[in-house]
Amino acid sequence: MALRMSTLFLRTLREDPADAEVPSHRLLVRAGYIRRVSPGIYTWLPLGLRVLRRVETIVRQEMDEIGAQELLFPALLPREPYEATGRWNEYGPNIFRLQDRKGDDYLLGPTHEEMFTLAVKDLYSSYKDLPLALYQIQTKYRDEARPRAGVLRGREFVMKDSYSFDIDAAGLDRAYQLHRDAYIRIFDRLGFDYVIVQAMAGAMGGSKSEEFLATAENGEDTYVRCPHCGYAANVEAVRVPVPDAVSYADVPAAHAEATPDTPTIETLVAHLNAHFPREDRPWAAGDTLKNVIVTLVHPDGTREPLAIGVPGDREIDEKRLGAQVEPAEVEAFDEKGFAANAALVKGYIGPGALGSESASKVRYLLDPRVSEGTRWVTGANEPGKHVIDLVAGRDFTADGTIEAADVRPGDACPNCGHGLESARGIEMGHIFQLGTMYAEALGLKVLDQNGKLQTVTMGSYGVGVSRAVACVAEGNHDELGLRWPREISPADVHVVATGKDTTRDPEVFAKAEEITRVLEAQGIEVLYDDRQKVSPGVKFKDSELIGIPTIVVIGKSLENGIVEIKDRATGERREVPVDDVVAEVVREVRGSAS
Ligand code: ATP
Ligand code: MG
C-alpha cells in the first residue's frame, strides 16, 4: 500500500527544534521521522519506523548469513544475574532500576551478557553443542549522563547484540572474525564512511576488541590513525610506547629552588630559563612533571583520591582516564580534599608527597613517558618551591603507570613510530572477545571431548541500530534535507502530483495515481504526495526534506506527455516521456539495489 501524504501521520516543520545541535537530529525531527518524548527518549513516527525497520533487516540478514540465531529476551530483568557478575553495582547510576509490588529488584537491560550466558547454561551441556552464536534486536535502556543528538545517544535505544560461545580460543577467534566480516557488510550496505579501530578491551578480563566508527566531525569518539602503517585506535586504547631507560649519570642531585610567582607551567618555564638555565637547551613545558589529583568514586560509593603524573605539556584526557578506571567514575578533587590531607600542598605537589607509602597515602600513577632515568622539574611540596633534576627511578617511584594523558596528532605511532593523525567518529558497532569472565561468574561449563568440564569462552558484539538511523542521516544530508541511501530509505520513490486539485487538474492526479499503482504492482514502495490545494513549492520542499532518493514530478508538462525524474542525491533532473517513467524508475531502484 502506497503511503499517501494526504493521510500519512506526518507534519513536516519549517523551523529547527530548539534542542537540536547536530544536522541529523534537526532533520529527523523536521522531516517527521522522530518526536521527542523526554530527554533521550523518542517516538518513531511512520517514516522513521520504516527506516529503522530497514536497518534492522540489513542487520538481521547479515547475522543470519553467519549462522547466528535470533531470539528475544525481555528488557525487564531480575537483579540476581547482574548481581552475580557484579554489574548491578558497577553500572552505578547508568542503569534504570525498579521494584515490583513485592519489593523485588529489577532493571531495564542495558546489554544482555548475563541473560545469554544463563540461557546457554540452561539448555546446553556438551562441547558438541558448540560453536553457537545467538542474537537479538532489542530495546536497551541506559540512563546516560548526557543523552544527545536525538536518537544518536538515547536513554532508550535499539541495539543488535550477539554473543558467541566456543570451547576454546581458536573457536572464539573464528566467531570474532565472522562477526567482523558481517559488520563490514552491514556498514557497507548502510552507506556511510567508517573506520575499524582498536578499542579498550576493558577492565573485565576481555582481550581483543575493535570498534566501527562512522567518521563524523561532531562525533563523540576521537581516534588516531597512522598514515604510514595503517594502525588505527580509539584514543582510549592508544598505548604510549615506553621510552628506553636513559642514563642519568651526569644529572646532578635533585635540588629544591624558590620559584615565586609561577602559578602556571608557562610562568614556571620562564622562571627556570631566567634563573636556572639548562646546560644543553632552554627549559620547555615538557620538562616539568605535573601532578594532578582526581577523586575516584567506586561503584559501592567509596571515594578515593588518585594522583596522576604527566609531562607538563600534556593534559589529562577525561575519556582516556575514564576508560582506565572503569567502573569507577572520576570527579574533581576539591578544596575539601586538600584541607583534609595536610601533605598535599596545592600547586606544589611533588612525587615526594605521593604514593601509597607516602605521607599523603594518595595512590600515584605515572604517564609511561615518565620512565626510568628521565629528569624533571616538579613541585617541592612547599609553597613557592619547585625541585629541579628529580630523576625517575633514582629520586622517586610511583605505584604504577596509567594511560591518561592526551594523545595528539603527531605523537609517535605505537606500531611504527610515525606521526599519528587524529579524527572524530561515532561508535556504530563494537566487537569484543570477552573470554571466560561471564561464563565463570555464572558457571557456564560444558563437557569436553575427554568428559572434563570446560568453561565456555565468549564474544559479545553490538550494533547501534537506532543510532545507525541518525548516523546515516548525519552522513547523508544537505542544506535542503535528508538524502537516504537507497537500502534504508523509507520508500523507493516519491511521486509528487503538483496540480491544484482533482477538479481543476484531474489528469495530473489520475496519472500520478496510475503511476503509483503500476510501480507498486512491480514491488516498488511509493510515497505519493496526493495532497490537494498544497502548492508545488511546499511539495518540492517536503520531498527534499524527506529525502527519498528518486522523486517523480507529475505536473504541467504532462500536457506534452512529459514528467520529471529528480535524483535527490545529485540534484540532477531529467524529463522523460510519461510512458517510460515506470520502466525508468524500476531500473533506477533495482539497478543500484544490491
Ligand atoms: P558509547 O561509548 O557510545 O556510550 P558503548 O561503548 O557504551 O557506547 P556498547 O555497550 O559497546 O556501547 O553498545 C554497542 C553499541 O550500541 C554501540 O556501538 C552503539 O552503536 C550502540 N549504543 C550504545 N549506547 C547507545 C545509546 N545511548 N544510544 C544509542 N545507541 C547506543
Ligand atoms: Mg562500545
Side-chain angles (χ1 to χ4, degrees):
M1 271 291 283
L3 294 169
R4 288 167 182 275
M5 293 276 281
S6 59
T7 51
L8 185 63
F9 189 58
L10 169 75
R11 283 290 173 270
T12 57
L13 312 175
R14 295 284 161 247
E15 299 293 318
D16 288 335
D19 63 336
E21 324 135 48
V22 302
S24 60
H25 183 193
R26 218 172 58 220
L27 291 170
L28 287 171
V29 172
R30 275 189 46 202
Y33 285 75
I34 57 171
R35 248 358 242 170
R36 196 183 89 131
V37 169
S38 170
I41 304 180
Y42 283 80
T43 303
W44 294 90
L45 296 173
L47 286 182
L49 188 59
R50 291 171 74 93
V51 177
L52 183 70
R53 294 281 182 253
R54 283 194 166 192
V55 174
E56 284 180 15
T57 299
I58 291 176
V59 172
R60 187 171 279 121
Q61 284 170 354
E62 298 298 344
M63 283 295 107
D64 292 346
E65 191 64 33
I66 61 167
Q69 301 174 56
E70 185 171 7
L71 47 62
L72 185 60
F73 279 99
L76 181 60
L77 302 170
R79 169 178 176 158
E80 290 71 26
Y82 286 80
E83 191 72 66
T85 58
R87 294 213 289 186
W88 174 265
N89 288 322
E90 274 165 16
Y91 267 109
N94 297 312
I95 50 170
F96 289 97
R97 298 176 177 79
L98 60 163
Q99 290 190 333
D100 70 5
R101 62 173 75 206
K102 293 194 303 233
D104 291 337
D105 285 322
Y106 287 80
L107 74 157
L108 295 175
T111 165
H112 280 62
E113 279 77 3
E114 285 82 352
M115 304 315 295
F116 277 82
T117 308
L118 288 173
V120 176
K121 178 182 174 182
D122 189 17
L123 297 180
Y124 276 6
S125 57
S126 161
Y127 74 95
K128 290 182 204 152
D129 299 323
L130 306 180
L132 172 70
L134 299 172
Y135 77 98
Q136 63 178 345
I137 295 176
Q138 196 230 22
T139 305
K140 302 277 190 249
Y141 297 86
R142 296 183 185 179
D143 195 0
E144 297 276 357
R146 281 176 289 276
R148 176 181 169 262
V151 294
L152 207 54
R153 180 175 296 284
R155 296 197 296 162
E156 175 180 289
F157 60 97
V158 181
M159 195 203 288
K160 183 286 298 177
D161 49 329
S162 43
Y163 305 85
S164 65
F165 301 86
D166 284 275
I167 192 74
D168 56 21
L172 172 56
D173 278 339
R174 272 193 298 278
Y176 183 89
Q177 192 59 42
L178 278 174
H179 268 89
R180 195 176 191 275
D181 295 343
Y183 277 32
I184 290 173
R185 288 191 293 272
I186 289 170
F187 296 123
D188 283 348
R189 287 177 67 183
L190 285 176
F192 50 66
D193 291 328
Y194 64 92
V195 287
I196 305 175
V197 303
Q198 291 178 23
M200 277 293 285
M204 313 272 278
S207 48
K208 196 172 178 192
S209 167
E210 288 167 293
E211 286 167 351
F212 289 69
L213 302 183
T215 53
E217 272 167 39
N218 48 26
E220 284 183 88
D221 284 273
T222 307
Y223 67 94
V224 292
R225 190 165 38 186
C226 175
H228 186 66
C229 72
Y231 166 86
N234 192 314
V235 288
E236 291 174 8
V238 173
R239 292 282 149 278
V240 173
V242 178
D244 290 334
V246 291
S247 163
Y248 46 83
D250 300 336
V251 182
H255 45 109
E257 304 288 353
T259 52
D261 305 322
T262 57
T264 62
I265 302 273
E266 293 80 70
T267 50
L268 173 62
V269 168
H271 186 89
L272 291 171
N273 281 321
H275 301 277
F276 309 97
R278 224 180 123 118
E279 62 283 6
D280 51 348
R281 57 168 174 79
W283 294 103
D287 298 320
T288 68
L289 173 61
K290 176 162 72 178
N291 297 301
V292 179
I293 306 193
V294 297
T295 302
L296 299 186
V297 184
H298 294 287
D300 64 3
T302 54
R303 302 169 73 83
E304 181 206 357
L306 173 70
I308 301 159
V310 296
D313 60 343
R314 303 238 166 212
E315 301 300 330
I316 301 279
D317 179 315
E318 256 176 61
K319 283 196 132 188
R320 271 166 65 74
L321 174 58
Q324 294 299 324
V325 301
E326 235 186 8
E329 305 257 345
V330 177
E331 283 184 11
F333 187 75
D334 54 15
E335 293 299 334
K336 262 198 273 168
F338 280 104
N341 199 328
L344 301 175
V345 183
K346 196 179 171 191
Y348 298 91
I349 302 170
L354 299 171
S356 335
E357 309 288 311
S358 71
S360 73
K361 299 256 189 306
V362 172
R363 189 152 66 99
Y364 184 34
L365 301 175
L366 290 171
D367 183 77
R369 294 174 191 85
V370 189
S371 58
E372 173 87 14
T374 51
R375 172 186 176 188
W376 303 95
V377 177
T378 188
N381 302 309
E382 275 182 64
K385 282 193 173 179
H386 282 87
V387 54
I388 303 176
D389 294 326
L390 197 75
V391 173
R394 181 186 75 179
D395 303 322
F396 70 99
T397 54
D399 298 308
T401 57
I402 188 167
E403 293 277 0
D406 57 359
V407 175
R408 301 197 195 133
D411 281 356
C413 167
N415 197 35
C416 74
H418 270 253
L420 292 171
E421 292 171 359
S422 148
R424 298 179 77 81
I426 303 166
E427 183 185 324
M428 280 312 314
H430 192 171
I431 53 179
F432 196 160
Q433 296 197 354
L434 291 172
T436 54
M437 104 116 215
Y438 286 91
E440 245 149 41
L442 297 165
L444 170 58
K445 293 183 186 209
V446 295
L447 290 173
D448 69 8
Q449 270 120 317
N450 308 314
K452 285 234 285 279
L453 275 177
Q454 279 274 355
T455 304
V456 170
T457 182
M458 292 170 54
S460 124
Y461 317 88
V463 170
V465 172
S466 49
R467 177 178 286 185
V469 174
C471 216
V472 174
E474 198 59 38
N476 297 279
H477 68 268
D478 58 18
E479 63 290 348
L480 302 173
L482 297 160
R483 292 199 301 209
W484 294 110
R486 227 171 246 302
E487 272 220 67
I488 65 162
S489 172
D492 298 316
V493 56
H494 191 154
V495 172
V496 180
T498 63
K500 282 244 160 46
D501 56 46
T502 38
T503 344
R504 270 190 276 183
D505 297 296
E507 306 81 12
V508 167
F509 283 94
K511 200 48 157 183
E513 191 78 43
E514 181 195 322
I515 290 170
T516 297
R517 264 205 318 274
V518 179
L519 281 171
E520 285 214 287
Q522 306 238 15
I524 304 287
E525 288 185 27
V526 184
L527 173 64
Y528 173 28
D529 196 344
D530 60 340
R531 289 176 295 177
Q532 305 203 6
K533 301 192 170 62
V534 172
S535 78
V538 167
K539 290 186 175 179
F540 293 148
K541 275 217 171 69
D542 279 345
S543 70
E544 275 150 352
L545 183 59
I546 290 167
I548 291 165
T550 303
I551 302 165
V552 174
V553 182
I554 297 138
K556 275 215 163 8
S557 48
L558 185 64
E559 291 168 9
N560 310 318
I562 297 289
V563 300
E564 190 181 73
I565 300 182
K566 274 207 286 193
D567 183 311
R568 176 65 186 95
T570 62
E572 184 202 320
R573 340 152 144 237
R574 59 184 206 282
E575 299 196 324
V576 297
V578 63
D579 292 338
D580 297 350
V581 68
V582 169
E584 291 264 334
V585 167
V586 170
R587 201 163 46 81
E588 221 160 87
V589 171
R590 298 267 153 75
S592 49
S594 48

